Amino acid sequence: MALPNLVLIGTFTYWPLINNIYYSTLDWTLGSASATVVGLQNYVTFFTSEDASKVLGTTAIFTLVTVGGSMVLGLLVALALNSKVRGTTFARSAVFAPYVLSGVGVGLVWLFIFDPGYGVLAWVLRGLGQQSPQWINDPQLSLVMVIIVYVWKNLGYCAVVYLAGLQSLPRDVMEAAALDGANNVRRFFNISMPLLSPTTFFLLITTMLSSLQAFDLIRIMTPLGNGTSTLIYKAYLQAFGAYNRAGYSAAISVILFAILLIITVLQLRFVERKVHYS
């Protein structure tokens, strides 16, 4: 019964992974009929290049800020949506909607907003007598721009998951704490947050894996990777940009896979210890 699924997983997941590891040992120009085996030279080239620290640093900053921002804002939004007031159903749909939208479409819309020449934000700032920041041309501002859009797009996912966790909290425990004199803030930090730890752990893993593999928004909003060249985008530029270095790109992809694997194992090994399963 499991054989068809195992065949599909092996064919479309593990076989490409093995092939990619093999390609990473080649000096291969994309489209060329021949390649030269170079062993670990592609990895040595990456880690000794001037771009290595910049790419790894950009990846770390992008991942940490987007994961933290999405989870914190998602939790705050979930707390607001958990209130029994009119219009919460519409608000929940509106918050979650950006998550299911195409990353390409979202990137194009926000690029129109941030464009320093004809963007909506530039028009508003000019009306206030201010100059628009060079969001696209400044590498540091480009990273900030992409982070803002990525958090906006994905916080709805965190909000919905946190909302489900909040609605599953045992009411009798919360009522008992209220009778004992615990205010809302104390109940949240001493009761709700520990009981939400499985939800937080789940979101930590899924959002971190998603952020490390973020591609579409970066590709649309900063095609040249100016200040936003994360590992996955660096691999794309090396293979399909002006370089056509397929072997080098495969090596960067393997490095990203190793980072994803290490982070997941560390989370399962150490972070899960602090999770309180009811």
Side-chain angles (χ1 to χ4, degrees):
M1 296 293 290
L3 183 60
N5 288 330
L6 292 176
V7 170
L8 290 173
I9 293 173
T11 302
F12 295 103
T13 301
Y14 293 107
W15 181 246
L17 173 62
I18 295 171
N19 271 340
N20 192 72
I21 294 174
Y22 168 68
Y23 294 149
S24 70
T25 64
L26 303 177
D27 180 9
W28 177 34
T29 301
L30 190 66
S32 175
S34 61
T36 304
V37 178
V38 294
L40 300 178
Q41 185 58 45
N42 286 324
Y43 298 96
V44 175
T45 301
F46 174 77
F47 284 111
T48 57
S49 66
E50 296 180 355
D51 289 339
S53 58
K54 184 184 298 184
V55 171
L56 292 173
T58 301
T59 303
I61 293 172
F62 179 83
T63 302
L64 292 175
V65 177
T66 54
V67 170
S70 298
M71 292 182 65
V72 172
L73 293 177
L75 178 58
L76 294 177
V77 171
L79 290 171
L81 295 178
N82 198 36
S83 305
K84 294 182 178 179
V85 295
R86 295 181 61 183
T88 54
T89 301
F90 173 78
R92 292 170 186 174
S93 301
V95 166
F96 187 71
Y99 178 71
V100 299
L101 295 177
S102 166
V104 175
V106 170
L108 289 173
V109 171
W110 278 94
L111 192 59
F112 174 70
I113 294 175
F114 278 109
D115 189 278
Y118 58 83
V120 175
L121 183 58
W123 178 78
V124 173
L125 290 175
R126 281 196 298 268
L128 298 175
Q130 303 293 325
Q131 279 295 111
S132 173
Q134 296 297 313
W135 297 100
I136 300 173
N137 302 318
D138 189 323
Q140 294 182 346
L141 291 180
S142 295
L143 182 59
V144 173
M145 174 182 68
V146 173
I147 286 174
I148 290 173
V149 178
Y150 190 87
V151 170
W152 174 84
K153 185 179 186 302
N154 289 274
L155 71 86
Y157 167 73
C158 295
V160 169
V161 176
Y162 266 128
L163 181 60
L166 288 170
Q167 292 181 342
S168 65
L169 296 179
R171 295 183 178 274
D172 52 347
V173 176
M174 305 300 290
E175 292 172 356
L179 291 175
D180 288 339
N183 56 28
N184 291 334
V185 176
R186 189 171 182 181
R187 289 202 303 271
F188 174 74
F189 285 103
N190 292 346
I191 300 176
S192 298
M193 284 305 296
L195 292 176
L196 284 173
S197 57
T199 304
T200 301
F201 180 63
F202 168 77
L203 285 174
L204 182 63
I205 292 180
T206 56
T207 55
M208 187 166 292
L209 294 179
S210 176
S211 292
L212 281 168
Q213 299 176 82
F215 175 80
D216 47 4
L217 285 177
I218 298 176
R219 174 67 181 86
I220 294 300
M221 302 189 75
T222 55
L224 300 178
N226 186 25
T228 60
S229 187
T230 58
L231 272 170
I232 192 169
Y233 199 64
K234 182 71 172 179
Y236 166 80
L237 291 176
Q238 288 296 323
F240 303 102
Y243 306 99
N244 293 333
R245 301 169 67 185
Y248 187 61
S249 172
I252 298 175
S253 300
V254 173
I255 293 171
L256 176 59
F257 169 75
I259 292 174
L260 290 169
L261 182 62
I262 292 171
I263 289 176
T264 304
V265 170
L266 291 176
Q267 287 176 327
L268 293 174
R269 181 69 177 82
F270 298 104
V271 180
E272 194 176 18
R273 292 181 177 180
K274 301 183 181 296
V275 177
H276 301 278
Y277 294 103
S278 58

